[in-house]
Amino acid sequence: MDLHSPLKKFFGFNKFKGLQEQVVNSIVNGNNTFVIMPTGGGKSLCYQLPALMQEGTAIVVSPLIALMKNQVDAIRGISENNGVAHVLNSSLNKTEIAKVKEDISNGVTKLLYVAPESLIKEEYVLFLRTQKISFVAIDEAHCISEWGHDFRPEYRNLKHIIKAIDNVPVICLTATATEKVQEDILKTLGITDANRFKASFNRPNLFYEVRPKTKEVEKDIIRFVKQRIGKSGIIYCLSRKKVEEVAQILQVNGLNAVPYHAGLDAKTRAKHQDMFLMEDCDIVVATIAFGMGIDKPDVRFVIHHDIPKSLESYYQETGRAGRDDGEGYCLAFYSYKDIEKLEKFMSSKPVAEQEIGHALLQEVVGYAETSMNRRKYLLHYFGEDFDEINGEGADMDDNSRNQKKKHEAKEDVIKLLSVVKNTMQ
Ligand code: ADP
Ligand code: MG
């Protein structure tokens, strides 16, 4: 099937990116499909293009209202008819809901974005099962798994809802790729037969460094940031209190930083996020509340003031640096005390959750304390081999650089010794 003309027609692109063409092919042929691509890999197009090409409406499940709105606006921008994409959520009034239903019934709507908690509503299920549905796409599918970095219980019910609506093909998309999460997603949705597509997780332009965390950590951060005046960066902290503290210390030192965490009111949060996106401030100091769906291409550094609770989270958070393939420095401060703190936080949780949390933390410790190539360690965690000699970005971490330095120092000593030996003979 010719997929290039619709690609050009709907999106204006001449070429598919990475595995997109194979994925689109799998979907238009009616297969259950599982897509793993790192952030920025182009997952949206994988289901948007088949949805636009096919008859009926594709249901897209997505966890964040803000993300859905962005996508719907983007899709509406490429069509004459606003009805081509809709969001169905609790903010709609009766008239708006009626309009959405009408557009679906008339075959106008190609993409219907729904939050999982809305999809559960009986009224919607009963309506959707009478309509022509092309497929169900589940974006950010790792939200299904407790082993993922952003578990959302509402995702658990999706299997039954999909069945109740119709037995249509299911497409899962995620940027997280541990074996455990993959198996969890496929089993929970009952689609172990899915065609699987997995892109490489290597981000060759990111530089990884871990530094011991001392009492001087804030001074270290200030020094680091002052060498990068005018560049954009994110500093992640574990607690809201720390976020406020660090933001203030940076401000006092004349740096252009704002705080971001769930304790701030929605208006302030939106303001600070916009300031960062519009370059009115250089640095956001944030908890993990900041980031999902933030698509700022020129973030030049991501600092972890506190080590995160899994390597998945670490990969996701550092992945926000260098999305334009330019410089992206990922600096993490590590102290075993922080691991103990995280273990303590978990101690009130159910035993099963504690066990998962503990296993994930051990991987973080392994990464922080390793002397091997950090990119190799990270990629291995995602089930990927990495050639630390010739692989792309092979010397883009502190350990590789140190080893090279050690090696060069050794060579220098050997040269010197041979000179001494020669002159003594
Ligand atoms: P993901 O969801 O995997 O993080 P997105 O779907 O948001 O990634 O896409 C990331 C960027 O890549 C977007 O700006 C999108 O327009 C662009 N993109 C996607 N596919 C192509 C393509 N075939 N050619 C050029 N740009 C593309
Ligand atoms: Mg996406």
Side-chain angles (χ1 to χ4, degrees), residues 27 48 79 86 98 128-129 131 152-153 292 356 366 376 408:
I27 299 174
Q48 287 170 347
S79 163
H86 277 299
L128 289 170
R129 64 185 296 165
Q131 302 301 311
R152 293 178 186 234
M292 209 204 260
I356 291 177
K376 189 176 176 76
E408 279 165 6

Side-chain angles (χ1 to χ4, degrees), residues 12 51 54 71 78 83 97 123 141 159 188 195 202 239 256 259 277 285 299 342 367 378 383 397-398 405:
Q54 283 178 298
Q71 297 229 348
I78 62 175
I97 292 173
E123 179 204 342
K159 179 181 176 180
T188 312
N195 288 339
N202 188 14
S239 67
N256 201 349
L277 295 176
V285 187
V299 174
L342 289 168
Y367 173 80
L378 270 181
D397 69 298
D398 50 355
K405 259 193 230 152

Side-chain angles (χ1 to χ4, degrees), residues 227-247:
Q227 288 165 355
R228 290 165 178 80
I229 296 291
K231 294 189 173 173
S232 287
I234 307 172
I235 303 175
Y236 281 108
C237 305
L238 192 61
S239 67
R240 298 171 185 184
K241 192 166 147 246
K242 211 24 130 192
V243 165
E244 291 289 347
E245 257 175 55
V246 173

Side-chain angles (χ1 to χ4, degrees), residues 127-403:
F127 168 73
L128 289 170
R129 64 185 296 165
T130 61
Q131 302 301 311
K132 174 141 189 63
I133 304 300
S134 48
F135 57 83
V136 176
I138 302 176
D139 206 358
E140 314 285 353
H142 57 272
C143 292
I144 279 185
S145 174
E146 284 183 87
W147 288 91
H149 57 84
D150 195 15
F151 173 55
R152 293 178 186 234
E154 317 86 70
Y155 264 68
R156 285 267 166 204
N157 300 316
L158 287 174
K159 179 181 176 180
H160 303 292
I161 298 164
I162 293 167
K163 260 211 170 128
I165 291 174
D166 200 353
N167 245 334
V168 289
V170 178
I171 324 303
C172 293
L173 307 100
T174 178
T176 27
T178 63
E179 281 292 324
K180 276 233 163 68
V181 177
Q182 284 176 42
E183 290 312 314
D184 238 12
I185 295 172
L186 294 169
K187 265 196 215 134
T188 312
L189 291 169
I191 52 160
T192 44
D193 65 331
N195 288 339
R196 301 185 197 194
F197 299 91
K198 185 176 175 188
S200 169
F201 272 60
N202 188 14
R203 298 279 311 272
N205 60 315
L206 299 190
F207 188 92
Y208 298 106
E209 180 185 354
V210 179
R211 279 190 210 170
K213 186 169 169 184
T214 66
K215 284 199 197 82
E216 309 274 282
V217 54
E218 276 90 14
K219 275 192 195 151
D220 284 348
I221 291 178
I222 288 167
R223 211 174 301 126
F224 180 94
V225 173
K226 281 202 166 162
Q227 288 165 355
R228 290 165 178 80
I229 296 291
K231 294 189 173 173
S232 287
I234 307 172
I235 303 175
Y236 281 108
C237 305
L238 192 61
S239 67
R240 298 171 185 184
K241 192 166 147 246
K242 211 24 130 192
V243 165
E244 291 289 347
E245 257 175 55
V246 173
Q248 220 166 51
I249 295 171
L250 292 181
Q251 285 163 359
V252 168
N253 278 274
L255 294 163
N256 201 349
V258 294
Y260 189 103
H261 57 72
L264 296 168
D265 59 82
K267 215 166 134 193
T268 310
R269 272 197 321 242
K271 190 176 114 198
H272 288 181
Q273 178 175 318
D274 286 347
M275 283 173 74
F276 183 62
L277 295 176
M278 311 304 274
E279 322 247 303
D280 289 333
C281 76
D282 296 328
I283 303 158
V284 176
V285 187
T287 59
I288 52 169
F290 183 76
M292 209 204 260
I294 299 287
D295 189 2
K296 184 168 166 52
D298 58 347
V299 174
R300 291 290 157 244
F301 57 89
V302 170
I303 299 176
H304 280 87
H305 178 282
D306 306 294
I307 208 87
K309 57 186 195 313
S310 74
L311 279 187
E312 294 252 40
S313 309
Y314 183 67
Y315 181 85
Q316 291 304 321
E317 285 151 23
T318 53
R320 289 170 191 136
R323 288 186 67 165
D324 57 0
D325 291 334
E327 191 199 343
Y329 204 111
C330 311
L331 173 61
F333 288 91
Y334 167 75
S335 141
Y336 194 78
K337 270 196 201 126
D338 284 349
I339 299 288
E340 288 170 341
K341 246 192 240 165
L342 289 168
E343 295 263 14
K344 216 161 140 195
F345 280 153
M346 294 187 302
S347 58
S348 56
K349 298 206 163 156
V351 177
E353 241 174 90
Q354 276 186 49
E355 274 169 14
I356 291 177
H358 178 74
L360 294 174
L361 267 182
Q362 286 313 304
E363 291 285 354
V364 175
V365 172
Y367 173 80
E369 295 186 356
T370 189
S371 57
M372 78 187 234
N373 183 307
R374 292 199 198 275
R375 177 167 271 97
K376 189 176 176 76
Y377 196 102
L378 270 181
L379 290 175
H380 177 77
Y381 180 75
F382 291 115
E384 206 173 314
D385 275 335
F386 180 70
D387 175 351
E388 74 235 73
I389 310 289
N390 298 312
E392 260 194 297
D395 69 340
M396 291 286 283
D397 69 298
D398 50 355
N399 287 342
S400 308
R401 296 272 167 102
N402 283 339
Q403 246 151 34

Side-chain angles (χ1 to χ4, degrees), residues 82-114:
N82 263 349
V84 69
H86 277 299
V87 180
L88 194 57
N89 67 29
S90 48
S91 74
L92 301 188
N93 62 33
K94 277 216 167 91
T95 324
E96 288 165 328
I97 292 173
K99 172 74 181 144
V100 173
K101 286 184 173 172
E102 186 191 315
D103 283 344
I104 294 173
S105 300
N106 292 339
V108 173
T109 301
K110 295 288 162 191
L111 287 140
L112 179 69
Y113 284 81
V114 208

